[in-house]
Structures are given as structure tokens and as C-alpha cells.
Amino acid sequence: RTIPAQTPIPLEGGWNYVPYLPSYELDASSPDFAVLGDFTEFVIIARDDHGGFMVPIEDFSTMGDWTPGEGYQIAVSEDINFVYGLEDPENAVFVGDDNSSPEAHWTAPRPTANNMSVLIKSVAGFAPAEGDQVAAFDADGVLVGVTTFIEDGRAGLTVWGDDSATEYEDGLLNGENFTVKIWDADRSIELNTEAGAIEMGNGLVFETDALLILNLIAEATAPVDYYLAQNFP
């Protein structure tokens, strides 16, 4: 028996796992968040199993379309009866592969059963450009998350936790610190960073299902070349 797309789904304040009921795709990108319909103001964060997430209050999303047959996690501020948005073919958004992007420096790790979402709002001392990446590493230097900056200089980084179903450690444990590095594609160098102003969360410490919103500070780099210029005046 088919469940109508507009069937209300009871959600409790906090995290919920919801099925995608519509038979059509709905756009989850900012600024419209069409998939959320009239419930945008109640959604703190929503995410998929592949590391994509949206934070409506920050007008931010790394998501494209939500699709039939998938399930999604939604954290809401209070109990609501959630209803998906209506189909609007005129506003459909196609998200395709960007084959024009420079070759990535870091490759995304395998997703695990849990993660935390990190919204990087700015990087002091660095101006992100096309092809620049930001990545998270554990204490042993193992990559646990990577993404690219979007056009406005922000980045949505998913940091993966350890999967207890496997015999080996394949992500971070709760309470474990991690570091963040930047790949400057223009200069082909890695930059260390430190946490600047933290707007939400407890800093660079892994917490399952947590949302961290912060600004980074890039390390100062030594000049690549030196030269003697004409004296002035």
C-alpha cells in the first residue's frame, strides 16, 4: 500500500530518522530548502547517510535533492508533525558531476555508522578558492573526513566516527580530539589550522551526532620566493 507524500510524520524534539515518502525528488539546497516545506524554522540540522547535511538557520546545505527510497536524519527543536514540501517541476534543481574541478588532494574516507557535522564559516588568514579542500585527521594523522569549500568560502565537513560493527578502528571515538588541515590547490601546500571563534559546539572534539559551527585560523606560511626589489623612492 502506497503512503501519500503528504502524510504527516510525527517527530519528537531532537534526532529522528524519517523515510522519504514522495515519489518525486525535492530540492534540499539553500536558500529555499524546498524539501522541508513549511517546517524550515523547526529543523536544526538534517543529514543523509553519505555525509551531506543542511543547517537552515545558517542558510547552508551540502545537499542536492532528496530522493525516493532513501531515509534521512532530522533534528528538530520541538515536537512537530512534519510534512514534506510539494512537487514543483519549475524549480527542480539538477546536481551533476563537476568534471571541471581540479583533481582532489585528499580522497574521502569510507562512511561509517556515525558522524558529526562541522560547519566552517570562515578561515582567518586564508581565502578559499576553487579546488581548495578542508580535512579532519585523528591523532595519528589518519584522514577521518574531507570536503571542498563552496563558492562563498564556507565548508560543510562531515567527521566520521568509529564503527563498532567492525573489528578495527575506522573513525574517531567519542571525546577524541581531531585536527583540521586545508589544501591550498593554487600553491599545492597543506596548511595547519586552529579553532577560532566557536559559535556552536565544544570545539575540535568528536561527538556523535553533534553540530559544530566555528571559524578557523590558518597557520602563517613562509614565503615561497625571495627577491631584491629596487629601493624606493
Side-chain angles (χ1 to χ4, degrees):
R1 180 169 175 262
T2 301
I3 301 175
Q6 297 301 298
T7 300
I9 303 174
L11 302 182
E12 297 181 350
W15 279 107
N16 301 263
Y17 195 83
V18 300
Y20 188 73
L21 301 182
S23 59
Y24 46 85
E25 296 182 348
L26 281 172
D27 181 29
S29 65
S30 65
D32 295 330
F33 304 102
V35 68
L36 302 180
D38 297 327
F39 296 89
T40 304
E41 64 180 295
F42 300 103
V43 176
I44 302 169
I45 181 174
R47 65 190 191 188
D48 59 31
D49 293 334
H50 311 291
F53 68 91
M54 65 165 77
V55 185
I57 195 172
E58 293 289 344
D59 192 21
F60 181 85
S61 176
T62 59
M63 294 176 142
D65 292 342
W66 285 20
T67 58
E70 295 290 331
Y72 297 89
Q73 291 177 285
I74 304 178
V76 292
S77 57
E78 59 186 71
D79 296 354
I80 59 173
N81 287 315
F82 175 73
V83 179
Y84 283 105
L86 295 171
E87 183 178 21
D88 185 359
E90 294 184 0
N91 292 332
V93 174
F94 173 75
V95 179
D97 294 329
D98 183 10
N99 295 321
S100 63
S101 298
E103 184 177 351
H105 175 64
W106 289 305
T107 303
R110 183 183 66 84
T112 63
N114 58 83
N115 63 66
M116 70 178 289
S117 303
V118 181
L119 172 55
I120 299 167
K121 297 186 67 173
S122 68
V123 183
F126 179 75
E130 182 182 5
D132 294 341
Q133 293 179 288
V134 58
F137 297 85
D138 68 11
D140 295 322
V142 176
L143 181 74
V144 290
V146 63
T147 191
T148 55
F149 288 94
I150 62 175
E151 290 182 357
D152 65 4
R154 295 185 295 174
L157 176 63
T158 297
V159 180
W160 297 98
D162 181 53
D163 191 343
S164 59
T166 62
E167 297 180 356
Y168 53 89
E169 189 172 318
D170 48 6
L172 294 169
L173 301 174
N174 274 312
E176 189 174 353
N177 294 327
F178 61 91
T179 58
V180 175
K181 293 185 178 182
I182 290 172
W183 171 249
D184 184 338
D186 287 340
R187 295 186 291 171
S188 296
I189 59 173
E190 295 181 5
L191 301 175
N192 295 321
T193 73
E194 61 183 47
I198 297 173
E199 299 185 13
M200 180 182 293
N202 296 315
L204 302 180
V205 180
F206 182 79
E207 299 176 77
T208 300
D209 295 338
L211 171 61
L212 172 62
I213 302 177
L214 83 166
N215 302 275
L216 293 176
I217 303 171
E219 69 172 357
T221 58
V224 176
D225 297 306
Y226 298 86
Y227 65 94
L228 183 63
Q230 177 64 42
N231 62 312
F232 179 84

